[in-house]
Amino acid sequence: MLNKIYDWVDERLDITPIWRDIADHEVPEHVNPAHHFSAFVYCFGGLTFFITVIQILSGMFLTMYYVPDVENAWKSVYYLQNEVAFGEIVRGMHHWGASLVIVMMFLHTLRVFFTGSYKKPRELNWLVGVGIFAIMLGLGFTGYLLPWDMKALFATKVGIEIAASMPFIGGMIKTLLAGDATILGAQTLTRFFAIHVFFLPAALFALLAAHFIMIRRQGISGPL
Amino acid sequence: MSNNRVTRRQFLTYTITGVGGFMAAGMLMPMVRFAIDPVLQTKAEGNLVLTSQKIADITDVPVKVDFTFEQTDGWYKSDVTEAAWVYHDGNEIVALSPVCKHLGCTVNWEGDPAHANQFFCACHAGRYEKNGKNVKGTPPLGPLDQYEVAEKDGYLMLGKKIANTFS
Ligand code: HEM
Ligand code: FES
């Protein structure tokens, strides 16, 4: 049945080359854990992506209940965690995933570093990777404020003060992040929410696309 | 078993699809259940609400009685004011919901001067008789809902919304 549908579409649109281009590629022996178990370090990039997908999905579902408003943010998180079926699990996925994605990304970066994969011709992809790293940290920072509890509030205060300690432009950065020169409040929360769910994910998608296109172009780096 | 041997490639395809499907289901099931929760939640409702309408003041002409109750909307609790059209029908007190059964606008008693003794909905000119029965040929497809009524210390109490009992 599925085969028939596929053939019907393929006959008209010739879709086979499209997915072959994406799915069919050489997996050299030195990156295949079935040959050398230590090659599992080459999985960290894929695992980072896997958790990113979980973050995006669980995040989309959380926004069905979450409100970025100082009166209601905490209450909506409390409600979605305790009153909605599987709320604890969906929030848990996003909560723990946020830390795990950074661990995975770090391990992936270490693998790239110690296999020397950043060297010519892959310098540009290292730079893109640094961009992804920064965006992930940004997602973690902006997401942390959203539950609007004491921990969130004071962590963000400290984070913003760190940014404010920058010479010359620190004050401006602080106001830009918090939405107000002195208050960390309503405007901070809406800003962080917008940055967390729209701006950074959009930038992340662009950089991930660049990352993956370059990998397909250049292939995986050779054995040590 | 037939002697169609499963090839290495088929075996891998099946295992990978199976494991992948299992993982995808494990991920998606909680999220989908989370999203459809409002459809499956059961809500207890229908506590009697005291109004400021004296029973003795109710006549056989429908009057609009406002009543306020605490509504819990997810994480948001607020006082919501709704209204009922209340009149005496013999010994009985009738309280009709003002929500039009066409598309939910609000009906008014004698809202259209051309139709005395009827409820009128301004949205699409829907009309109802005094007991809430919809006038054939106007948009509404059913009669106005009714509220359960009770009395406390001479004042009117309104309860659950029920289907119209006159038709
Ligand atoms: C991809 C990397 C992402 C990371 C690292 C991340 C990180 C975080 C963190 C640390 C929190 C605080 C959670 C908590 O302490 O419980 C959070 C909350 C939240 N995030 Fe994300 N996030 C990511 C992507 C997204 C996306 C794509 C969306 C939506 C489209 C999203 C929507 C939300 C929402 C609504 C909350 C508040 C709910 C809550 O606190 O449980 N996130 N995020
Ligand atoms: S909503 Fe009342 S007539 Fe259409």
Side-chain angles (χ1 to χ4, degrees):
Chain A
M1 178 63 193
L2 280 180
N3 270 335
K4 281 225 175 95
I5 296 176
Y6 179 87
D7 289 341
W8 190 89
V9 176
D10 195 39
E11 191 185 337
R12 276 143 253 259
L13 295 175
D14 195 21
I15 55 175
T16 302
I18 303 177
W19 69 258
R20 287 223 166 224
D21 235 29
I22 297 168
D24 267 7
H25 56 273
E26 205 71 33
V27 178
E29 192 181 308
H30 71 283
V31 308
N32 187 342
H35 286 271
H36 310 280
F37 182 66
S38 60
F40 70 83
V41 294
Y42 286 91
C43 295
F44 289 141
L47 289 174
T48 311
F49 182 63
F50 176 62
I51 298 168
T52 304
V53 170
I54 294 184
Q55 287 309 99
I56 288 161
L57 283 174
S58 58
M60 282 166 60
F61 280 91
L62 285 175
T63 53
M64 283 192 169
Y65 295 94
Y66 177 79
V67 262
D69 166 68
V70 285
E71 292 281 343
N72 291 301
W74 188 88
K75 288 186 205 161
S76 70
V77 173
Y78 185 88
Y79 177 81
L80 74 83
Q81 174 170 335
N82 296 300
E83 305 290 334
V84 181
F86 285 99
E88 227 174 336
I89 302 210
V90 177
R91 184 173 179 215
M93 287 161 86
H94 204 74
H95 181 100
W96 299 106
S99 298
L100 200 57
V101 80
I102 288 179
V103 171
M104 285 301 159
M105 186 173 63
F106 191 69
L107 292 174
H108 173 62
T109 313
L110 285 181
R111 190 284 284 176
V112 172
F113 182 77
F114 283 111
T115 53
S117 308
Y118 53 85
K119 292 175 190 169
K120 193 183 172 199
R122 298 186 177 77
E123 305 96 319
L124 284 174
N125 222 0
W126 175 267
L127 291 181
V128 168
V130 172
I132 294 175
F133 206 111
I135 288 173
M136 288 294 194
L137 294 184
L139 280 166
F141 179 58
T142 51
Y144 205 81
L145 178 66
L146 301 184
W148 201 246
D149 52 15
M150 282 294 156
K151 196 168 70 166
L153 184 74
F154 285 105
T156 304
K157 267 200 176 148
V158 169
I160 286 183
E161 286 309 319
I162 292 173
S165 66
M166 199 188 272
F168 306 115
I169 53 168
M172 240 168 63
I173 292 180
K174 177 181 170 184
T175 311
L176 201 61
L177 277 174
D180 187 280
T182 53
I183 307 168
L184 199 168
Q187 303 184 78
T188 321
L189 185 54
T190 47
R191 266 175 187 255
F192 272 49
F193 179 72
I195 295 172
H196 187 76
V197 307
F198 294 114
F199 292 85
L200 289 182
L204 182 67
F205 293 155
L207 289 194
L208 285 179
H211 205 62
F212 295 150
I213 289 168
M214 281 194 244
I215 294 169
R216 289 317 303 274
R217 261 291 148 86
Q218 303 178 317
I220 210 75
S221 56
L224 289 176
Chain B
M1 277 289 280
S2 67
N3 40 5
N4 282 341
R5 298 194 54 213
V6 175
T7 64
R8 215 179 160 78
R9 176 173 286 265
Q10 272 174 330
F11 176 76
L12 277 174
T13 311
Y14 294 152
T15 6
I16 289 171
T17 321
V19 172
F22 189 77
M23 283 169 71
M27 258 169 70
L28 288 172
M29 195 275 286
M31 296 195 271
V32 170
R33 179 63 182 81
F34 178 80
I36 64 170
D37 196 54
V39 182
L40 301 172
Q41 260 185 14
T42 48
K43 245 202 217 139
E45 61 161 339
N47 288 336
L48 285 170
V49 179
L50 189 65
T51 69
S52 55
Q53 177 68 43
K54 275 206 182 88
I55 297 279
D57 293 347
I58 298 173
T59 66
D60 61 354
V61 179
V63 285
K64 197 168 176 191
V65 174
D66 287 330
F67 61 101
T68 301
F69 58 96
E70 189 180 67
Q71 178 181 273
T72 306
D73 175 12
W75 53 90
Y76 181 65
K77 285 199 176 73
S78 60
D79 285 336
V80 173
T81 300
E82 284 184 2
W85 288 101
V86 179
Y87 64 92
H88 248 297
D89 180 41
N91 295 330
E92 240 185 291
I93 292 170
V94 178
L96 292 173
S97 155
V99 179
C100 180
K101 292 299 244 182
H102 179 222
L103 295 171
C105 288
T106 305
V107 303
N108 273 306
W109 178 246
E110 300 194 328
D112 180 12
H115 296 282
N117 266 317
Q118 284 190 347
F119 290 104
F120 178 70
C121 177
C123 284
H124 317 97
R127 285 185 282 124
Y128 303 83
E129 288 162 19
K130 189 173 168 186
N131 65 13
K133 196 164 170 279
N134 51 311
V135 174
K136 292 275 167 312
T138 69
L141 297 171
L144 293 174
D145 284 336
Q146 229 169 308
Y147 284 104
E148 284 177 351
V149 292
E151 184 190 336
K152 191 185 178 195
D153 306 330
Y155 285 90
L156 175 72
M157 293 183 91
L158 294 173
K160 251 206 323 266
K161 243 187 209 182
I162 52 174
N164 192 293
T165 54
F166 294 99
S167 43

